[in-house]
Amino acid sequence: MKRRWIAGAIGVLAVALAACAPGGGASEQGDKAGGDKVTLSLWSWRVEDVKAYEKILATFEKSHPKIHVEFKPFQATEYPNILATGLSGTAGPDVAQLKSYGGLQPLVEAGQLVPLDGKVEALSGFDAKLLEGAKGHKDGKIYGVPFAYQTLQVLYNKKLFGDNGIQPPATWDDMIAAAGKLKAAGITPFAVAAGPDATWTLPIVHEIFGNARYGSTKFRDALLRGEKKFTDPDFTASIKLIKDLEPYFPKDVVAVKIPDVQALFATGKAAMYPTGSFDLAPVLAANPSLDLGVFQVPPPPGSPVTTPVTPGWADGSFGVNAKSAHQAEALELVKWMATPEFGQLYASELKQLSAVPGVTPPDPLLAEMAKNYAANGAPYTLLVDFRYGQPNGDAVFRDEVQKMLAGQTDPKAVAESVQKGVGQWFKPGN
């Protein structure tokens, strides 16, 4: 851990020193090189999206010939520190890709972003649930244009289902029976990882199987009002589902890494993959011949919610640096990012769900995910509401669930640990 921290700190320092060297940042250099043509720097944590963004931004530049946008990605694990350092000085980006919810808040509190209320008119038409991720937690102002949202559900291999006489489950019992049949046939029913690199996926797995069991949106709202706690029997029961499903996960799941489960599913050795919409593109890239379907998990027995739900969240947004020397041009860029033109390009080039209203994903599976979320959307509670303080509720939960799968604790103790952790900073009604 110390070595990674030192490496990250050195990386941040190197970026800061390079940016402060004679000649200035990207915007200044662009101005000198292009005369009256302004170069905007756009920072991101998506190194894998360079080619897609170059194509997307070329479209913007055609309609804005006096603006050039330089897309500059960083490693996702290093990005928060690099961005915070850049925004605190004069060497930061003009436009930045921003994390949502609790990840956004430190930048808002530091006054490093331009409020977009009244400046980007199209935001008034965005889904209110997605705008939550781009708002200041205390002032309620909008600081970014949401670019995507993610949904949670189960991908399944249609061929494996067909070969084993299985249909997408209509009830929880159907799903368990299908899992048993697949396991008996030597196929891993659910591609789930709980290894050291994969603990962040465990709250996602819990949301997919347990959101309806703990009460979904009504439970979340009661939590925020202080009427419920994470130690509530329904939430504890939702955690127990993960332990109950463990026999259908890969063997020694606490040692299984993310590449392992992706390979299991992509090669047809696992039939179902409880994951986010973000994983569709990587899975198909690994095996373009896969014939995939998607289903919402039927509510487990005892659920307060009796219809399937699709949990989701705002993935992030694009905001303007308060210290940008080119705020007018930066605003032009984020205004364009709120248009259907950008949204459609984003959905097509990146195979993701665009947050822009009215955009239809060209991929039929993504379109089905979007339809399910529109009809049955539910918040991913720990991510949306409990990442604003330390300890981070989502982080406490994932570590405790891993311990549960390792046989070191139980569902009741997991719930108690989460409540104790968030109780150190969360105040109902605030």
Side-chain angles (χ1 to χ4, degrees):
M1 179 68 73
K2 184 177 290 185
R3 289 180 180 176
R4 283 200 294 268
W5 182 89
I6 292 171
I10 292 172
V12 171
L13 181 60
V15 169
L17 290 174
C20 293
S27 294
E28 184 180 339
Q29 291 171 347
D31 293 344
K32 289 179 179 179
D36 61 351
K37 189 169 187 175
V38 170
T39 293
L40 296 177
S41 57
L42 171 61
W43 285 11
S44 167
W45 67 80
R46 298 283 300 177
V47 294
E48 58 269 62
D49 293 347
V50 171
K51 290 184 179 179
Y53 270 105
E54 286 176 350
K55 186 173 181 179
I56 291 169
L57 294 170
T59 302
F60 169 77
E61 292 176 359
K62 286 180 182 177
S63 59
H64 297 76
K66 291 194 174 183
I67 303 175
H68 170 64
V69 185
E70 181 184 81
F71 182 76
K72 187 172 184 179
F74 299 88
Q75 290 296 327
T77 53
E78 300 172 3
Y79 183 72
N81 286 337
I82 292 174
L83 180 61
T85 299
L87 293 177
S88 65
T90 58
D94 297 294
V95 175
Q97 190 171 36
L98 306 170
K99 297 288 187 178
S100 294
Y101 310 106
L104 173 69
Q105 195 59 27
L107 307 180
V108 171
E109 293 182 358
Q112 294 172 334
L113 301 170
V114 175
L116 301 181
D117 306 76
K119 296 182 177 72
V120 182
E121 294 181 7
L123 287 173
S124 62
F126 275 58
D127 185 332
K129 296 193 299 294
L130 300 183
L131 280 176
E132 280 185 34
K135 287 184 176 181
H137 191 52
K138 296 177 181 178
D139 64 13
K141 293 180 180 179
I142 302 171
Y143 289 91
V145 173
F147 58 83
Y149 64 101
Q150 302 296 344
T151 63
L152 302 177
Q153 56 281 298
V154 178
L155 296 175
Y156 71 94
N157 185 315
K158 287 185 176 181
K159 184 178 186 304
L160 290 179
F161 268 42
D163 290 348
N164 290 276
I166 298 170
Q167 296 292 324
T171 68
W172 182 268
D173 287 344
D174 288 345
M175 187 181 74
I176 298 303
K181 194 171 186 178
L182 289 162
K183 185 175 181 180
I187 300 164
T188 300
F190 295 109
V192 171
D197 74 327
T199 55
W200 65 270
T201 68
L202 293 176
I204 286 174
V205 173
H206 169 257
E207 280 291 314
I208 292 169
F209 293 114
N211 187 288
R213 182 64 189 87
Y214 69 68
S216 196
T217 303
K218 286 187 178 180
F219 179 79
R220 176 248 187 161
D221 292 345
L223 271 177
L224 298 182
R225 292 192 299 265
E227 298 167 2
K228 295 273 190 179
K229 293 184 177 181
F230 286 106
T231 49
D232 185 89
D234 283 323
F235 194 79
T236 301
S238 73
I239 300 170
K240 185 175 181 295
L241 292 173
I242 306 306
K243 187 65 177 176
D244 292 344
L245 289 169
E246 186 181 2
Y248 306 111
F249 296 166
K251 185 180 178 182
D252 299 324
V253 68
V254 292
V256 176
K257 300 177 181 179
I258 291 174
D260 299 333
V261 293
Q262 289 178 336
L264 271 176
F265 188 65
T267 58
K269 295 178 181 178
M272 293 177 279
Y273 189 11
T275 189
S277 47
F278 53 81
D279 257 336
L280 179 60
V283 165
L284 290 177
N287 185 356
S289 67
L290 277 178
D291 187 11
L292 299 180
V294 61
F295 68 84
Q296 301 173 104
V297 169
S303 296
V305 175
T306 57
T307 55
V309 295
T310 293
W313 73 95
D315 196 16
S317 64
F318 285 106
V320 176
N321 182 355
K323 293 184 179 179
S324 169
H326 303 295
Q327 282 193 20
E329 291 82 3
L331 281 168
E332 284 300 310
L333 177 57
V334 297
K335 284 180 184 178
W336 181 74
M337 289 172 162
T339 66
E341 183 178 43
F342 171 79
Q344 203 64 59
L345 283 166
Y346 183 89
S348 300
E349 296 299 325
L350 291 166
K351 218 177 187 67
Q352 295 284 339
L353 292 168
S354 168
V356 178
V359 172
T360 301
D363 183 275
L365 274 184
L366 281 178
E368 186 175 350
M369 293 175 191
K371 182 180 178 181
N372 288 341
Y373 183 71
N376 310 303
Y380 172 176
T381 300
L382 281 168
L383 183 152
V384 170
D385 298 297
F386 291 92
R387 285 188 174 184
Y388 287 99
Q390 293 298 328
N392 175 324
D394 203 52
V396 173
F397 184 84
R398 70 192 185 204
D399 292 343
E400 290 298 310
V401 169
Q402 186 193 45
K403 286 167 59 178
M404 179 183 73
L405 292 173
Q408 298 169 2
T409 189
D410 59 36
K412 185 174 182 290
V414 173
E416 289 171 349
S417 294
V418 174
Q419 182 59 45
K420 181 180 178 181
V422 301
Q424 295 180 41
W425 58 267
F426 171 69
K427 306 300 178 186
N430 292 335

